[in-house]
Amino acid sequence: MALTVAVLAAGTPSSAHAALDQHITANQAAVALDPVAALKRQFVKRHGVRITVYSASTTVASDSRKPTKESAGVVEFDKGGVMATDLTYPSPGSRYIQTRKRFYEYDKDPALRHPKKKWVLIDLQPPFLIEVGHIRVTDPATLKAVLATTARTQPGPVYDGTRTTLYEGVITFAELGKAYPKMNIGFGAKPEDYPDWTVSWKLWIGQDQLVRRAWSAWREPNNTKNESFPDEYISAEIADIRLSRWGMKLHISQPPAHQVITAKEYTKWRDAHS
């Protein structure tokens, strides 16, 4: 770098100096910015990120070890973090729009849709579906806890146009639960019920310190006591999320009111037409 600077100073136009200064400044900023701070800087109203989720599950009833595409869509932020998501699930063919207070479903099968009310307002309000093995990749506290368990790093491939660094480690349910107290595992169990169970994880982080890919493998405990499953766990899971276009301008709108039916009204309609 010192030799390059000397050559530029001796025989290049002032524009080259400006370009070099910008390059150095950008590199210094990237080094100074850690992944948690970089994530927080994305929390800008009407901006977001595009995500694609792949998953696989192995149980006594099914064995899908190779992750397949589960969902894809966009995540919108505001200064408080995730404020809305719009995700499409190829199988069974549904689209979900979720805000902090509302959760809507659109079924792509015409036979399952009300002729005039395309969207169903679901009574249950689940947590935002942006996690990989209980690792909430858009939550600063969780990201900080995960990175604190980093066991190794190495150069990674290019994702979303940026060279990445691969971080790897293992985190316990207890550690994840401490970062996100509302976390549930299995069928309604809490992290403290299985504190020593672990999630193996990998994060590919770009030069701007933003996560471009997140992968994890873990077991869901059999807290249902269902005898048809192994005693210890009900399934072995793999999840793989790709994130791109960080900072994209985005506004997720709720469906028009005249196209929305409540879950109770929908059930009544289905019963009358089945």
Side-chain angles (χ1 to χ4, degrees):
M1 177 60 75
L3 178 59
T4 303
V5 172
V7 172
L8 288 171
T12 57
S14 58
S15 59
H17 290 283
L20 179 61
D21 289 341
Q22 291 176 356
H23 176 73
I24 293 174
T25 301
N27 284 345
Q28 289 173 338
V31 171
L33 196 66
D34 65 88
V36 177
L39 173 60
K40 289 180 179 179
R41 286 181 59 174
Q42 296 299 308
F43 294 165
V44 178
K45 187 176 181 179
R46 295 203 172 183
H47 288 72
V49 65
R50 181 170 295 280
I51 67 170
T52 303
V53 181
Y54 301 85
S55 67
S57 180
T58 301
T59 68
V60 294
S62 64
D63 186 352
S64 177
R65 299 184 183 184
K66 183 178 180 180
T68 56
K69 188 174 181 179
E70 177 183 325
S71 64
V74 289
V75 179
E76 183 180 355
F77 300 122
D78 63 11
K79 64 180 181 180
V82 177
M83 70 161 294
T85 61
D86 185 346
L87 301 176
T88 297
Y89 289 72
S91 178
S94 298
R95 178 183 171 193
Y96 296 93
I97 290 179
Q98 183 178 2
T99 68
R100 290 193 178 115
K101 296 183 179 180
R102 296 286 186 272
F103 186 50
Y104 303 91
E105 178 184 10
Y106 172 87
D107 200 306
K108 291 188 175 183
D109 185 349
L112 300 177
R113 285 202 313 266
H114 188 281
K116 296 182 180 180
K117 307 284 188 176
K118 297 180 179 180
W119 292 88
V120 179
L121 176 60
I122 307 298
D123 296 327
L124 176 66
Q125 174 70 358
F128 283 110
L129 306 175
I130 317 163
E131 60 180 32
V132 50
H134 302 301
I135 295 174
R136 294 160 53 84
V137 294
T138 53
D139 175 55
T142 301
L143 182 59
K144 181 178 180 179
V146 170
L147 288 171
T149 64
T150 300
R152 67 191 69 84
T153 64
Q154 60 180 312
V158 172
Y159 286 114
D160 190 34
T162 179
R163 176 68 61 182
T164 63
T165 298
L166 170 60
Y167 294 71
E168 299 180 70
V170 176
I171 189 168
T172 65
F173 282 174
E175 290 169 322
L176 283 171
K178 186 177 180 180
Y180 181 61
K182 294 182 181 180
M183 171 184 165
N184 287 313
I185 53 178
F187 287 81
K190 295 295 182 181
E192 55 266 29
D193 298 328
Y194 301 88
D196 298 327
W197 285 47
T198 61
V199 177
S200 298
W201 61 268
K202 298 178 182 180
L203 296 177
W204 287 262
I205 298 177
Q207 293 177 319
D208 54 5
Q209 299 301 294
L210 293 169
V211 177
R212 291 315 200 286
R213 180 182 177 187
W215 176 97
S216 69
W218 75 104
R219 298 180 305 166
E220 286 293 336
N222 182 22
N223 56 300
T224 65
K225 307 304 179 184
N226 188 329
E227 294 182 358
S228 64
F229 292 100
D231 292 337
E232 264 194 324
Y233 66 96
I234 201 165
S235 63
E237 307 284 342
I238 294 176
D240 192 342
I241 294 182
R242 313 296 172 90
L243 303 99
S244 61
R245 296 188 63 192
W246 282 98
M248 65 185 292
K249 291 184 178 181
L250 175 66
H251 178 53
I252 298 173
S253 300
Q254 297 184 51
H258 70 276
Q259 293 185 4
V260 176
I261 189 173
T262 67
K264 185 177 181 180
E265 291 171 333
Y266 176 77
T267 300
K268 184 177 180 179
W269 172 81
R270 286 290 300 157
D271 290 343
H273 292 79
S274 59

